[in-house]
Amino acid sequence: MQLIPCPWCGPREEAEFHYGGQAHVAYPEDPGALTDQEWARFVFFRDNPCGPFAERWSHSAGCRRWFNAVRDTRTYELLSVYRVGEPRPDASERDEVVS
Amino acid sequence: MTDPVSPAPPPGAHLPDHPGFLWEDPEPRPAYDVVVVGGGGHGLATAYYLAKVHGITNVAVLEKGWLAGGNMARNTTIIRSNYLWDESSGIYEHSLKLWEGLEEDLGYPILFDQRGVLNLAHSLQDVRDSVRRVNANRLNGVDAEWLDPRGVKEVCPIVNTAPDVRYPVLGATYQPRAGIAKHDYVAWGYARAAHAMGVDLIQNCEVTGIETVGDRVTAVRTTRGRIAAGRVALCAAGHSSVLAEMVGLRLPLTSHPLQALVSELLEPVHPTVVMSNAVHVYVSQAHKGELVMGAGIDSYNGYGQRGSFHIIERQMSAALELFPIFARAHLLRTWAGIVDVSPDASPIVGLTPVEGLYLNCGWGTGGFKATPGVGDCFAHTIAHDKPHRFNEPFTLERFTTGALVDEHGAAAVAH
Amino acid sequence: MSAAFRLPTGGHVDRGTELRFTFNGRSMTGYRGDTLASALLANGEHRIGTSVKFGRPRGIVAAGSEDPTSLVQIEQPFPEPMLTATTVELYDGLVAHGLPGRGRLADEPDPARYDAKHAHCDVLVVGTGPAGLMAALTAARGGARVVVVDEQSRAGGALLGTREYLDERPWTEWVDDTVAELRGTPGVLLLERTTAFGVYQDGFVLALQRRTDHLGFDAPAHAARQRVWRIRAAQTVLATGAHERPVVFADNDRPGIMLAGSARTYLHRYGVLPGTRAVVFATDDSAYAAALDLANAGMEVAAVVDARPTAPRLLRARCCAHGIDVRAGHVVTGTEGGDRVSAVHVAPAAGSDGSADAIGTAGAADTIDCDTLLVGGGWNPVVHLFSQAGGTLRYDSRLGAHVPGQAPATVRVAGSATGAHDLSACLRQGWEAGCEAALATGSRPDEVALPASEPRAGEQPGLVLWRVPGEAPRDAPDTRFVDLQRDATVSDVLRATGAGLSSLEHVKRYTTIGTAHDQGKTSGTITAGIVAEALGVELSDQRPTTFRPPYTPVPFAALAGRDRGELHDPARVTAVHAWHVARGALFEDVGQWKRPWYFPLPGEDMDTAVLRECRAAREGVALMDGSTLGKIDVQGRDAGRFLDMLYTNKMSGLRVGRIRYGLMCGVDGMVIDDGTVIRLAEDRFLVTTTTGNAAMVLDWMEEWLQTEWPHLDVYAASVTEHWATFPLVGPRSRDVLAALAPGLDVGNDAFEFMAWRDTVLDVGPGVTARVCRISFSGELAYEINVTAWHGPAVWEALMAAGEAYGITPYGTETMHVLRAEKGYPIIGQETDATVTPQDLGMAWAVSKKKADFLGKRSFDRAENNRPDRKQLVGLLPLDRDVRLPEGAQVVDTDDLPEPPVRMLGHVTSSYRSAALDRTFALAVVRSGRERVGEILHVPVGDGLVPVTVTESVLYDKEGARRDG
Amino acid sequence: MTADTSVRTSPLAAWTDRLAALAPALDVAERPFLTQLTVRARDAVAVARMGEALGVAFPADPCTSTRGGGPFGDVEVLWMGPDEFLVVAGPDRRALVEDALRAAVRPARGAVVDTSAQRTTLALSGPHARDVLAHGCAIDLHPSAAPTGTCVQTLLARAGVVLRVDDAECDAFTLLVRSSFAEYLAAWLCDASVEYRAALS
């Protein structure tokens, strides 16, 4: 049972959280202006990297706030958490975590 | 002095021996007609049917670790074809028919045992969905029946069908032709047969890049050097996105840990396969007598071949609600595979925008049962550069057009 | 009577408490403190059972959980399969028997309780051997919160197999003092009989505590038999010890063949001799200790066979003093015997440089009679948990074992788990690990004196010997067992490498070595060694197979814990649940909710009850508990704008005091939920969701508000349980409401359809209600909302006020029938994540004006505009008494061809209707709306049921009944 | 003002005796009909104004709570999120407190919602209160980690709860649970106490 550091409540067991997939995928300004391909990319296509991944979590059983995290998908180690609206921190120096 | 007379070993307590020779471990040659990336069940089966059906034997299967060491070595070996939609039952039933002849075909004891599978219903909507699937299966020529709790009890006496449990069993769909096989035997059967027809099985060979000229694939770069390829076929399950990324191809997939576990060897108690989506349990008793169980899928993306233990604990409490007599069975080993999940819980099998590059992924939890079927269809797709009729619906384009094949209801684990 | 092989004195067993037990049908006795294994050995019982494949007799090899062979089935007090006799603590009345490799489950449910408990600490110490105790003591004295776990019933670890002295006192005194101090220190939790079986991320360690097993029949029913400890540790010290390794030779599986160190444990811990005449097969100095201790205890030791070219001088001398014949440069090449070893074959080992591969056998074998053969093949540090924690392993060719390499930041290893042998080194490592761990958590460990121990540096390095060389017999099966439980031999391993396999994982699967109950604790390294030899590679180049949890087997029930029966998953109930139960309702599970399904009167079956309930709703008045509907309060200046994005229709235009039905789609354009939206104020709405989707919809709102539109001034809050919600339905509902709400003008114009009013109810002081005039049945209806506290009283009051009109409580089934007669879909029944509002014939609920809303863009995709999409229609069986099964498929042929048959869609809902006096169904059918009037067929059983396609609204098409 | 209890029923009314029977191992009782208001506000000034109106400063730190007395009697304010609080007052104070909060929050962004019956409240104490909670709650409730006033939203067994530490030294806690889960939680507490009750008897 992994600990996930909620930016407000601090480290809590992962069972208290809801996973939200890739972060920084903005809802299109004007969906009507998009081609079917562009719309499909927004609806269905997400990054799926093997390594650091900026993703969304919600502390659903706690303060119910959404936040972002960079997590290494090989080790599951959370390299950083940050609030919605904040830029993705550079996790490159952490890219070599042993898996 | 001699040993005391040995009593006969308990039936099924040990498995048939593997053959005295399986395959060689060759050095990669500089070029192949077809390079199959991924030496799991799908990759090996694809190579086998390329050679056997299409006479294409200048083929290399590249495996970054040891053959069939990924999901093939980690799944719970359930084989069935009782999916809802025509497209799915098409390819899964094609696969099941191949399973039924596979032992002779490969000349390998794959221990395919058609003991049937029960998919339990726990709510009135489960019942509606199940009956709907049974009717669809029958009209598609897939054997299926709807059983009431009494019928469930007859097929699997140890299932708790008491009405007063938290989520009572209201009935189940039953596919008698479904069953299990022994995964290593299946993979090694394909590997040995493919090798015998001239296919190179190259282990410890990780693909690090895919070379293209214009929009045509020309070679793969690997940890064991560059290998030129007329055609490249991706069969990398959980790692498909990473490989596709090498040619800038983005896939609607996320990779997740899926856990399974096994008990000690036990006298036969469980004659069939029982699955329950609602409470995330699927269990069978394997040939030697161990209980093999699948757990729920972890929600987060993960390549760690490691899941969270609370998923196992949750699955155990559900399993004991269904099978109270399992209480003092022991958990011997847990493990996880990496499943690549698509938005509609259906696979993606076919051509790509890159000429000569073929895609087989997105099987989620359903990959093992599809092994012969997709191997055959994918080989056909590669050989003719056009999809086999059974994988034609499973294009990448469907996510743009909206022609999804939504199998969340029938997938082993609700993704 | 006392058992023949129990020494008159010695051992840590309670000789005052004699325990009776039965094994393989034979009654015997042992003492409290025995394991089943030690008690059997005390009684001279070595043969436990037979092997799984060849049915060969198998005995007891080790003294702990690493033992590969002593598999037993417990029969009394309750059947439990596949335990090793070495891990079963003896209790009075125990009945067990040996197993041929497969266990048997009880056929009745397990009456025992199991639970789980969380524990948090600065420092977790695994193991109470010398290193573990030092670590725990150091950390505890430093003020750290410490949890200490040990598999055994008694602290001491490896010391239990010795007569060591610490500070010139028997080790027991130091250990017992230390344990006493730990127990007496606040903030220290010491758990014996507790096996750490899994190490996960962030210092999460799972441990299984066997709390009452050793009490047997006396185990108290109220106490959890076993407990899973969920330990969260800032720092972890692994002092898990080492397992002795066997050596493989012909017929190495006979009962009476035992690990040398384990024999010492039986002697010193249990006061038991393994036999009368022993031969010791040594590859290192430690095996000599067994020979000498047993000789001291009065057992005849015929010989020490040392594979090394020369024997250590001092140890040899001490053996000679006991008349033990030491044969250096010799190996055991085979054994004789049946149920018990009766002799060993000893031959000179060729090769003199001491390296294993140079050893072959030369010269004639010599036979030595004995009933016990003790084998010492060196020691494997127990690195399972370390590896699970993410530590890397390094092969130590000197030890012939994998030892801890790179450790994770919060994990430390101490004692023989590091490969250390010397007691003083183990104590020092424990002290260091305890200091570092405590310091890392901000504690201040003071100096802790290391107990003085006799320095015991080995005289001479051990010899790494996996197997005694030699060929398998031509004409007989190979009996050089590598995995004794799986009956896998050297020949099997060589056959695997010969088949072309080079990966250990492949060899393991080919031979099944390491897959048995013991998970290869004693066979793993040897297999790797033999494979390396066969392939001519360095073992250090071989990746060891992964150590997966659990370290030792864990009962399923322990993992399920208390989440069983009614506690398996919460049953959510409404404020009026007790009334429903008393009224004899049957319940439907909807998500976690218990909803009344129907309320049968005595003797009524479901159909009769539902027809009666429907008739009451259409002709009189009926009452339902709709409290499970999700309710969300949406406040803020931008609430209207926000709802406009969430719902397909326009909510911002809704007037205060009015209500609108709304549909909600995912971004993929598929319907995900529906409900009503009522406008409480300019900046405030109350929206309802379906019962099953309440949480999903609130999460959905929060997700968009927090991650996409934080600029919006909108706040959403769940008030689902704050309100009790009672739909009051039927032509007489107005009369009932009027009776209860004297202050409310219930006239059709004053209180029009799709409006809401707040009013005071004549039920008691301060009972106010929000009444919504909405209808999910087409009848005149009111939805009465009161705070859940008032739910029961208001429900009773409504039943009383309606008595005159024959008010009838109804459940979900009747609700489904009533709405289906009106063609209203149920999300999740008519829809399945592939259905759009247009498919449901609800284009009217999709705004044309709004620039955008979630899902809108998907409506333009090619697939959404196919003319042959499945659309919601009604189906009327030509035979008005035939009720179609829900889930039946629809075809356009009256003569079924061979499969595959083209399917047009399926029946989503099907009922017997009181109002229509016939059966009817709803279905989604390809181009359904164009087919209205067509005859289609529904395969049922072996037949085809002809049906007429109709539009989905079947009752009161003109909506006349709405106003009563 | 007095509550007319004859027309009010609390979610655990039927459990009063069963819960009382857990003593002395566990002292647990429902505290019914408390006034509870969910308050949303980001603006610090508005939050301060609300505090003044109630006579109790709103908690400044996550996972804490405050307590105080004012015009509406004793009031507790529980931190529920960075812009969310739960105001808990005595029975039958809803209308007055809600009006005061509404008045105080304006003109800033914010919301006030009556959620009094959304959750019910259990007071928990006794020699084994912390043990019982440790069977189902992953939060470290050791006084050094969870001092008096700590207030967390978390999971207790299979139910979401608000858990407040009323007195860390005396192991006194308050649990707030969604009303529909209340019977499950009561059943769970009874079951988790079995061993401790027997140990004492």
Side-chain angles (χ1 to χ4, degrees), chain B residues 81-83 89 93 134 137-144 175 177:
Chain B
S81 64
N82 56 348
Y83 281 67
S89 64
E93 178 60 20
V134 163
N137 289 160
R138 292 181 153 196
L139 292 168
N140 274 320
V142 174
D143 61 316
Q175 183 180 23
R177 285 165 60 239

Side-chain angles (χ1 to χ4, degrees), chain A residues 40-84:
Chain A
R41 293 212 161 274
F42 167 73
V43 177
F44 294 118
F45 289 66
R46 294 292 180 270
D47 293 345
N48 186 27
C50 183
F53 182 40
E55 60 194 13
R56 310 182 309 158
W57 290 87
S58 162
H59 190 192
S60 48
C63 63
R64 301 194 305 121
R65 296 310 109 167
W66 282 87
F67 59 93
N68 294 332
V70 177
R71 189 180 55 99
D72 190 310
T73 59
R74 295 163 298 185
T75 62
Y76 307 164
E77 184 187 3
L78 282 129
L79 307 176
S80 59
V81 297
Y82 54 107
R83 296 178 184 184
V84 171

Side-chain angles (χ1 to χ4, degrees), chain C residues 848-867:
Chain C
K848 312 275 174 297
K849 299 193 213 71
K850 290 194 290 180
D852 189 29
F853 55 85
L854 298 180
K856 184 179 202 287
R857 174 61 183 81
S858 292
F859 295 157
D860 302 335
R861 296 178 307 181
E863 193 62 18
N864 291 65
N865 295 290
R866 290 169 57 128

